[in-house]
Amino acid sequence: MKFFIDTANLAEIKEAYDLGILDGVTTNPSLMAKEGITGAENILNHYVAICNIVDGPVSAEVISTDFEGMVREGEQLAALHKNIVVKIPMITEGIKAIKYFASKGIRTNCTLIFSAGQALLAAKAGATYISPFLGRLDDVSTDGIQLIQQIRVIYDNYAFNTEILAASVRHPMHIIHCAEIGADVMTGPLSAIKALAKHPLTDLGLQQFLADYAKGNK
Ligand code: G3P
């Protein structure tokens, strides 16, 4: 399973990349705003800064909601850097834009996926990735993992190349469950990625090894 980080924070992206396990980055307008990145030029420059840290796909989201606007914005984003993947919302105009970008060889990430029907449409349009929002489904008492499992079956039935990018991942168990059911990619916060490494028995065991070494090597 590929690991993407879901942030626009350059320090966190660098920290995750330096771990050696980071395959890509996802952003969205809320994450950009959280870092105080505003204004068209600053936003475009920030995407380039992210692409210069990570050698892998970087999702950059369009703001337009009409086909022409999405095409205009998406082409501008894709021209910024070879790593850019154009993130398109799951709306009917978005489906048309995904089809257009697929015909031009521009990679897309279809975002705001909350149902299997949406995932099927995005794959038929030729999306490179689809982003089912796991955490936000869990927030409304709906099983996000079950949705990803359903999409896995559908994509495997028809050998769709579209990759399932589990998004809105909040904690390490989300990552484990995504890996168990065969999500192609997960995107989550640095805290969830680093939490995978933690176990109290590891800490205790290491403490003991170091203490025993110190005893024998005074
Ligand atoms: O980038 C989309 C998604 O990962 C958002 O996550 O935590 O805001 O639901 P969250």
Side-chain angles (χ1 to χ4, degrees), residues 156-169:
D156 289 350
N157 281 348
Y158 298 100
F160 281 121
N161 290 326
T162 301
E163 293 190 39
I164 303 172
L165 194 175
S168 188
V169 160

Side-chain angles (χ1 to χ4, degrees), residues 6 28 87 133 136 167-168 170 187:
D6 196 28
N28 62 41
K87 206 171 180 188
F133 277 28
R136 290 193 195 183
S168 188
R170 305 272 174 77
T187 190

Side-chain angles (χ1 to χ4, degrees), residues 6-26:
D6 196 28
T7 184
N9 182 291
L10 297 182
E12 286 187 6
I13 293 169
K14 173 114 183 48
E15 187 179 339
Y17 192 69
D18 287 346
L19 286 175
I21 48 79
L22 192 70
D23 302 295
V25 180
T26 51

Side-chain angles (χ1 to χ4, degrees), residues 153-212:
V153 169
I154 292 170
Y155 282 11
D156 289 350
N157 281 348
Y158 298 100
F160 281 121
N161 290 326
T162 301
E163 293 190 39
I164 303 172
L165 194 175
S168 188
V169 160
R170 305 272 174 77
H171 51 73
M173 281 316 291
H174 271 158
I175 302 178
I176 303 291
H177 288 142
C178 284
E180 280 175 342
I181 61 174
D184 299 290
V185 192
M186 80 82 204
T187 190
L190 181 61
S191 58
I193 296 172
K194 281 165 67 176
L196 288 174
K198 296 299 290 178
H199 198 288
L201 289 178
T202 303
D203 296 341
L204 271 176
L206 180 60
Q207 217 177 6
Q208 184 70 54
F209 287 153
L210 295 178
D212 288 344

Side-chain angles (χ1 to χ4, degrees), residues 42-81:
N42 290 337
I43 290 173
L44 295 181
N45 288 339
H46 201 74
Y47 287 136
V48 174
I50 295 174
C51 290
N52 286 336
I53 298 174
V54 178
D55 187 21
V58 173
S59 286
E61 189 159 342
V62 299
I63 304 303
S64 304
T65 53
D66 62 301
F67 172 75
E68 289 77 15
M70 287 186 202
V71 165
R72 198 174 46 247
E73 261 190 78
E75 284 181 337
Q76 189 184 21
L77 289 168
L80 282 178
H81 196 283

Side-chain angles (χ1 to χ4, degrees), residues 80-171:
L80 282 178
H81 196 283
K82 66 173 177 46
N83 291 354
I84 293 285
V85 172
V86 181
K87 206 171 180 188
I88 307 274
M90 169 35 78
I91 52 179
T92 47
E93 292 289 285
I95 297 165
K96 289 196 270 178
I98 289 166
K99 183 78 190 172
Y100 169 84
F101 286 125
S103 75
K104 299 281 172 198
I106 292 175
R107 293 175 298 169
T108 54
N109 174 359
C110 185
T111 189
L112 292 165
I113 294 282
F114 292 96
S115 76
Q118 293 176 323
L120 181 56
L121 268 179
K124 280 192 71 67
T128 314
Y129 303 97
I130 52 128
S131 292
F133 277 28
L134 184 49
R136 290 193 195 183
L137 279 169
D138 287 356
D139 288 345
V140 293
S141 316
T142 304
D143 192 342
I145 287 293
Q146 204 175 24
L147 170 65
I148 294 174
Q149 216 158 10
Q150 199 182 7
I151 298 170
R152 179 77 282 156
V153 169
I154 292 170
Y155 282 11
D156 289 350
N157 281 348
Y158 298 100
F160 281 121
N161 290 326
T162 301
E163 293 190 39
I164 303 172
L165 194 175
S168 188
V169 160
R170 305 272 174 77
H171 51 73

